Amino acid sequence: MTTAPVTETTDNAPPASGRGYPQLSHLDVLESEAVHIFREVAGEFERPVILFSGGKDSIVMLHLALKAFAPAPVPFSLLHVDTGHNFPEVIDYRDRTVAAHGLRLHVASVQEYIDNGRLRERPDGTRNPLQTVPLTEKIAAERFDAVFGGGRRDEEKARAKERVFSLRDEFSQWDPRRQRPELWQLYNGRHAPGEHVRVFPLSNWTELDVWQYIAREKIELPRIYYAHEREVFRRGGMWLTAGEWDGPKEGETTETRLIRYRTVGDMSCTGAVDSDAATIEQVIAEIAASRLTERGATRADDKLSEAAMEDRKREGYF
Amino acid sequence: MTTTTIDTSATSLLRFATAGSVDDGKSTLVGRLLHDSKSVLADQLEAVETASRNRGQQAPDLALLTDGLRAEREQGITIDVAYRYFATPRRRFILADTPGHVQYTRNMVTGASTAELTIILVDARNGVVEQTRRHAAVAALLRVPHIVLAVNKMDLVDHAEPVFARIAEEFTAYATQLGLPEVTAIPISALNGDNVVEPSAHMDWYGGPTVLEHLETVPVGTDPSDAPARFPVQYVIRPQTAAHPDYRGYAGQIASGVLRVGDRVSVLPSGLTSTITGIDALGRAMDVAWAPQSVTLLLADDVDISRGDLITPTAAAPTTTQDVEATVCHLHERPLKVGDRVLLKHTTRTVKAIVKDIPSRLTLEDLSQDASPGALAINDIGRVVIRTAEPLPIDAYADFRRTGSFLLMDPADGTTLTAGMAERPAS
């Protein structure tokens, strides 16, 4: 056959290279690479699970997994660490997604740990750091040997050093000095019983890549990612959603503002940004022009100390 | 709302690596590239400014942008490769930032394994030194397609053209000797930002691109039609559902070349042959696909194929062998010795193997061969002969970066020991 190659997998027809095979766009390259990682895990591990929060990164992860194994179902179950302070829109999205794809959902509940006394509420009310124990105990109880996370290396400086396959010991701990060098596309998933591997198929994506991919693939997101009016109050320089999770406190006043969320997490520490971006095109334009990183704009817990993320990762957090 | 927009349409992706010791100004160059391409956002810069102030420094220390971990800051150690991301309207960049520390070889090998371009930094006052030769040798060994020689600290040699010309000439001669394909030499001052993102006002004699311009325009990717197709099977997709009762697809990422419906293919190591009847490119049926696309292949015959097999055009299949000769870089504190039993991971296949011989060790300083060292220590580069328990369809790394590379792992705890690049069979 001498017919011209089909160009429909590429975004816009980027400059052709060589004898007529178009250069793949950066999104095509990142997509191929992520799919490769999913299939490596399916081939090498016994009990993988996808961490699914209902946030955009985990939604993109699931979308990639669906494509990687089509027309067969995704050979992984999902795991949600439920802080008890989730946005109702996100829980609704989670449950609809699980049902639509016939997936199995595991839930590790922070509220349950607090109710039975195994965890204690922090004075600042933030529940993000409390996720680690339910997460790691669930991994051990279900004997998961590979746990997919939506973490990206552009998010935080500790993550810039993390591998695609990140070995965790039996306590789920990350030791940056014991990381395996990662060469070519040869991922080493060998691990001892009790150990597991955290896998990050979106390692090489940036926030903007994720949004562009969502636009290209027309992926539905929870509505809180788009501009809407909401009752919020100011704490620690951020707009937090008022709710039953003990916010606002005395002295904090709520007001109705036009906002949206850049990340989805625990309501007690995920801040909203003022925004009128109601469509995905407007969101992309807003992010491309933003002078703040995603985490800098919206995460209170990363500001706890200079190495907050690294310290939590060492303990087993994602 | 601000009206600043960047072009968010399809762009290409360049993976590149940096090499150079701390004294050469590598951190400053990386910081400068990120800062001047406006890839450092306000909150990150604020964090660097605060940290610099806390250390009693007057100006923000851009090197702190790349020093991430508590252990690194507290102990002044640097933990191998970090990955940095930045974008311009023309291209996306992934930078494998390798620290210029004692452990340079293994770090540089790791960074260079996925890089299409390496920036080698030299100090204009010192010119080509031993370390420069080492970096060039590693880049040549790893077959990095493009090399940039960044002659830094031009401000300290009065921006003098003859200084730059002499260094560029000496390096190019050395690179030619190593078989490096292409060298672009750029005179810069990372500290002042000359020729990094903006053209220098002090070096009118230089008519070439700035570092960033070159990164934006260097051709990426290879022509897929230059090499025969290689398709390591990762996973067999068998839905066995009512809608797809007989679907049997071989999932994988095309490692090189082009695959078309109708191609006659062989499955290695078994040698069975069949014909491609369908290519499923992530849910879309295609007539043709090429590297590095992840696809699923459908074949005419119901042959026995599983993870670890290689599908390749029958007319251009590699030979299979149980005797692998390779150049390796040893990555672990535990030395690699003759007689060691290891696991060898090649594409999607992991097999038992034994180290039969270590005929030589490379002395990077002068590229001489040290005969029969018996063992390789961490950071050593040497030649090894390996016997595998099963035949492997392994290519020469010089021709196929992906199907010519492998890892050696410790069978006891899975530790990654060694990175290997297969050589062409001697005959």
Side-chain angles (χ1 to χ4, degrees), chain A residues 1, chain B residues 229 231 258-266 273-280 286-288 296-301 311-313:
Chain A
M1 276 198 301
Chain B
F231 187 81
V258 181
L259 288 169
R260 286 188 183 76
V261 171
D263 279 357
R264 192 76 191 151
V265 291
S266 292
T273 59
S274 188
T275 303
I276 297 177
T277 55
I279 301 173
D280 199 345
M286 309 291 267
D287 292 328
V288 57
T296 304
L297 298 184
L298 304 170
L299 300 183
D301 306 280
I311 297 177
T312 174

Side-chain angles (χ1 to χ4, degrees), chain B residues 137-152:
Chain B
V138 171
L141 194 68
L142 272 289
R143 303 267 159 182
V144 179
H146 305 279
I147 304 294
V148 170
L149 176 74
V151 180
N152 191 23

